[in-house]
Amino acid sequence: MGWTFKLHGGVAAGLGATLLVLATLTWLPGVLPLSGARWLAAGIFVSLFLTAVSALMRLILTGADKQAIWLAFRCLPGKVQMTLGALALGGVVLLVFSKATEGNLQAAEVRDGRYVAFDTTPYARGTVEISQSRYQDVLESDQRTMLAIPGVFSLGAAYAVLAAGELRRADGAVVPSDVR
């Protein structure tokens, strides 16, 4: 596998792991210092978009089917497989627990000195006033989701680019016969 595939896969896996660690940190008491940063969401989106699209393009250019992609991933070293698998599983578990404890409130904000959030309960949708502690909980839950979903997608991009690199390496090892 070429060094560009390794670098691309490492960057995608590192981005995914960082986002999942930050999402996990939202369960600690207090608010993450980056909670009010609007540039964070834009930076995550741009980096995820560039990483994922280029990974998918590399995978599409191999022309392989799902079976071959899975077999190529299985040819990667065991530590790489275990790390990506454990991180992806951790991200999915993080999202499941987050959604289970989240409730029906989202998009918390402060309006005229009052804490409000959007209630998504069926037949009762709308903005409701909430306490300050509930406001902090909703803010952390929104932040957890904003960090965990791109983290899992980044790990998917790492899987795609590393499998594409392995397919490229395997295709380079095959010497075409000289048929006349």
Side-chain angles (χ1 to χ4, degrees):
M1 177 181 335
W3 67 272
T4 60
F5 288 96
K6 292 177 185 176
L7 179 66
H8 188 179
V11 166
L15 177 64
T18 302
L19 291 173
L20 291 179
V21 166
L22 288 173
T24 305
L25 288 177
T26 61
W27 268 310
L28 292 177
V31 180
L32 283 178
L34 302 173
S35 64
R38 296 268 182 209
W39 58 267
L40 180 63
I44 289 171
F45 176 76
V46 168
S47 60
L48 175 63
F49 181 78
L50 293 174
T51 306
V53 168
S54 58
L56 287 176
M57 289 307 298
R58 284 182 152 190
L59 195 59
I60 289 170
L61 289 175
T62 63
D65 61 348
K66 291 183 218 176
Q67 180 76 20
I69 294 168
W70 174 247
L71 290 175
F73 180 73
R74 298 281 300 157
C75 290
L76 291 171
K79 289 181 182 179
V80 174
Q81 291 178 37
M82 288 294 290
T83 301
L84 281 178
L87 285 171
L89 181 63
V92 169
V93 167
L94 179 78
L95 281 170
V96 168
F97 281 142
S98 176
K99 288 296 177 188
T101 61
E102 181 176 276
N104 294 327
L105 298 176
Q106 61 185 3
E109 60 182 310
V110 179
R111 285 189 197 161
D112 301 325
R114 298 180 335 190
Y115 299 104
V116 295
F118 186 74
D119 189 1
T120 60
T121 305
Y123 306 113
R125 296 177 65 96
T127 304
V128 294
E129 189 171 344
I130 56 176
S131 66
Q132 182 181 7
S133 63
R134 188 69 180 134
Y135 167 78
Q136 294 294 334
D137 292 341
V138 173
L139 225 106
E140 288 175 353
S141 177
D142 286 350
Q143 197 174 40
R144 190 175 309 119
T145 303
M146 182 194 76
L147 293 168
I149 290 174
V152 172
F153 279 122
S154 290
L155 294 171
Y159 164 82
V161 76
L162 291 173
E166 192 62 26
L167 285 167
R168 177 76 62 138
R169 184 194 61 77
D171 286 346
V174 175
V175 178
S177 61
D178 188 12
V179 179
R180 293 182 197 222

